[in-house]
């Protein structure tokens, strides 16, 4: 998500408490101090792992404050159950942050496969006239 502001990070912090999560700093497991504290501490590498039921792990690396970027390993989405869990998480994320969420290939934030629009509560394929 582009143009992420402090309020969105605060909402993100509230959202992930609905899921099982782990946090590490430079590889060491630590309690999560909150997104704003993580973004203020650039002295090392942060990783927040959000565990969905099944083998799917959604990772947040906190690269830049202006962009909330999450990643998953496609091979973890091995069936319809995992697919539904990922889509449900994306819907929950978009509605909590009140922002559209794009699903993109890695490093291609300008080329989404699919977008969930929170205010419309609907999925869109970019470029599809519908």
């Amino acid at each position: 998500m582009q143009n992420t502001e402090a309020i969105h990070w605060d909402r993100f912090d509230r959202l992930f408490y609905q899921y099982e999560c782990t946090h590490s700093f430079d590889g060491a497991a630590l309690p999560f101090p909150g997104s704003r504290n993580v973004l203020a501490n650039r002295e090392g590498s942060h990783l927040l792992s959000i565990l969905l039921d099944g083998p799917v792990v959604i990772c947040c690396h906190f690269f830049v404050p202006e962009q909330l970027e999450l990643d998953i390993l496609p091979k973890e989405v091995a069936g319809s159950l995992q697919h539904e869990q990922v889509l449900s998480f994306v819907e929950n994320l978009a509605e909590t942050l009140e922002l559209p969420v794009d699903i993109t290939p890695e490093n291609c934030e300008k080329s989404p496969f699919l977008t969930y629009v929170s205010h419309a509560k609907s999925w869109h394929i970019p470029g599809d006239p519908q």
Side-chain angles (χ1 to χ4, degrees):
M1 285 172 282
Q2 305 293 328
N3 304 315
T4 307
E5 298 176 7
I7 191 167
H8 302 116
W9 287 107
D10 292 342
R11 291 174 184 167
F12 177 67
D13 286 357
R14 288 193 305 271
L15 167 76
F16 80 78
Y17 283 112
Q18 299 173 29
Y19 301 90
E20 182 181 347
C21 299
T22 61
H23 171 255
S24 64
F25 178 70
D26 281 347
L30 293 172
F32 185 67
S35 294
R36 287 194 200 200
N37 290 328
V38 166
L39 291 163
N41 177 358
R42 307 316 295 168
E43 298 301 316
S45 175
H46 293 270
L47 173 63
L48 178 68
S49 298
I50 303 165
L51 312 170
L52 301 183
D53 293 334
V56 179
V57 178
I58 299 173
C59 298
C60 183
H61 300 277
F62 301 93
F63 293 125
V64 294
E66 302 81 27
Q67 182 183 41
L68 198 161
E69 179 181 338
L70 304 170
D71 62 51
I72 63 170
L73 292 173
K75 69 181 180 180
E76 292 179 348
V77 185
S80 61
L81 176 63
Q82 293 85 12
H83 181 256
E84 288 298 322
Q85 290 173 339
V86 170
L87 294 181
S88 178
F89 176 84
V90 170
E91 290 173 1
N92 197 6
L93 178 66
E95 290 172 9
T96 299
L97 273 60
E98 299 178 4
L99 291 172
V101 175
D102 295 328
I103 296 178
T104 70
E106 188 166 0
N107 298 320
C108 295
E109 66 267 6
K110 303 287 186 204
S111 302
F113 291 131
L114 198 57
T115 299
Y116 185 78
V117 180
S118 60
H119 66 80
K121 295 191 182 299
S122 63
W123 288 94
H124 299 274
I125 298 171
D128 185 5
Q130 297 185 1

